């Protein structure tokens, strides 16, 4: 299997937010391979809402849609417990979706928190349970839809630079960390 060095991928993460914020910001970085950044995207989502799926689909269906081969997500939750439906993103975009997690998640702890804080916890728990079990590929845990393990393994290798995770996801994370200063300024002001 041969994959070009400049394979198009997008990495999506959220910016840190304050506990009083009603919204969070999704950050998408479109890269070709592991070195060329060709687009940065932002979308607002409701903190603890259920709109991350539609906002990710909107982001992916933009300018670079025809060039994106894989959508990498930083986990399955954004803006607190705004859970992204991996299957729906894959179905509506036609692009494989891969949730990257740095360590095996404690699903029971997540489900307990959902029961404690959300009226619609049954729907959220059902969605979490529907996702594939995390698998270790190349030193990271992934949950993936719409792609075979062997191909994903090759794409992860092609899209990393100096980190275990694909560069597009690392860059989105770095951009998100830059928002911390704004949160700190707002809270001090």
């Amino acid at each position: 299997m041969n994959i070009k060095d400049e394979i198009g991928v997008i990495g999506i993460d959220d910016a840190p937010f304050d506990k009083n914020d009603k919204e969070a910001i999704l950050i998408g970085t479109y890269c070709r391979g592991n070195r060329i950044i060709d687009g940065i995207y932002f979308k607002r989502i409701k903190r603890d809402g259920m709109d991350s799926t539609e906002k990710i689909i909107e982001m992916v269906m933009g300018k670079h849609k025809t060039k994106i081969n894989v959508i990498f997500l930083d986990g399955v939750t954004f803006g607190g417990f705004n859970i992204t439906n991996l299957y729906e993103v894959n179905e509506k975009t036609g692009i494989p979706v891969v949730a990257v997690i740095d360590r095996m998640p404690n699903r029971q702890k997540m489900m307990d928190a959902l029961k404690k804080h959300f009226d619609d916890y049954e729907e959220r728990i059902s969605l979490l349970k529907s996702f594939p079990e995390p698998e270790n590929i190349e030193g990271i845990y992934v949950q993936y839809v719409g792609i075979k393990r062997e191909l994903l393994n090759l794409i992860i290798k092609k899209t990393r630079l100096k980190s275990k995770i694909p560069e597009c996801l690392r860059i989105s994370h770095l951009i998100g960390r830059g928002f911390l200063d704004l949160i700190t300024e707002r809270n001090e002001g």
Side-chain angles (χ1 to χ4, degrees):
M1 213 177 297
N2 195 9
I3 296 172
K4 62 182 183 177
D5 289 342
E6 292 186 5
I7 184 170
V9 292
I10 190 168
I12 300 171
D13 197 356
D14 56 354
F17 54 90
D18 185 83
K19 64 182 179 189
N20 298 318
D21 290 342
K22 290 184 181 357
E23 292 182 323
I25 297 172
L26 283 178
I27 302 147
T29 302
Y30 169 72
C31 287
R32 289 188 286 138
N34 63 7
R35 296 175 191 268
I36 302 169
I37 301 169
D38 255 354
I40 308 276
Y41 304 96
F42 299 95
K43 287 283 182 187
R44 292 181 188 278
I45 58 170
K46 294 180 184 120
R47 196 179 113 228
D48 293 330
M50 287 296 283
D51 61 343
S52 64
T53 300
E54 78 179 71
K55 296 299 184 172
I56 287 170
I57 292 167
E58 285 174 15
M59 187 182 286
V60 170
M61 298 302 273
K63 178 181 176 187
H64 292 101
K65 197 266 185 210
T66 59
K67 300 174 191 168
I68 298 171
N69 294 280
V70 176
I71 301 163
F72 286 105
L73 305 177
D74 185 50
V76 296
T77 61
F78 299 94
F81 275 111
N82 196 324
I83 304 167
T84 299
N85 186 328
L86 304 179
Y87 298 107
E88 188 176 338
V89 173
N90 173 245
E91 182 183 311
K92 291 196 173 163
T93 63
I95 302 170
V97 181
V98 181
V100 177
I101 316 155
D102 57 358
R103 60 188 168 286
M104 188 62 120
N106 184 334
R107 280 186 164 180
Q108 189 57 53
K109 192 174 178 180
M110 283 178 78
M111 289 182 224
D112 291 344
L114 289 169
K115 282 181 186 176
K116 184 177 177 182
H117 298 288
F118 296 94
D119 293 337
D120 64 348
Y121 70 88
E122 289 172 343
E123 177 187 345
R124 292 173 191 249
I125 288 173
S126 176
L127 185 56
L128 282 177
K129 285 182 173 180
S130 76
F131 298 152
E133 283 294 317
E135 294 179 36
N136 191 318
I137 297 181
E138 291 293 315
I140 55 176
Y141 287 96
V142 293
Q143 292 170 281
Y144 54 96
V145 175
I147 190 169
K148 295 200 178 322
R149 181 185 172 97
E150 300 77 31
L151 180 56
L152 177 57
N153 191 35
L154 292 172
I155 292 171
I156 289 171
K157 286 179 183 176
K158 284 276 187 192
T159 57
R160 293 192 301 199
L161 189 57
K162 295 183 177 199
S163 170
K164 293 189 300 185
I165 65 171
E167 191 66 2
C168 59
L169 205 51
R170 191 182 81 80
I171 292 166
S172 288
H173 181 74
L174 287 173
I175 293 167
R177 301 284 302 162
F179 282 90
L180 276 176
D181 289 341
L182 292 175
I183 292 170
T184 305
E185 274 180 25
R186 185 179 63 197
N187 291 340
E188 290 173 354

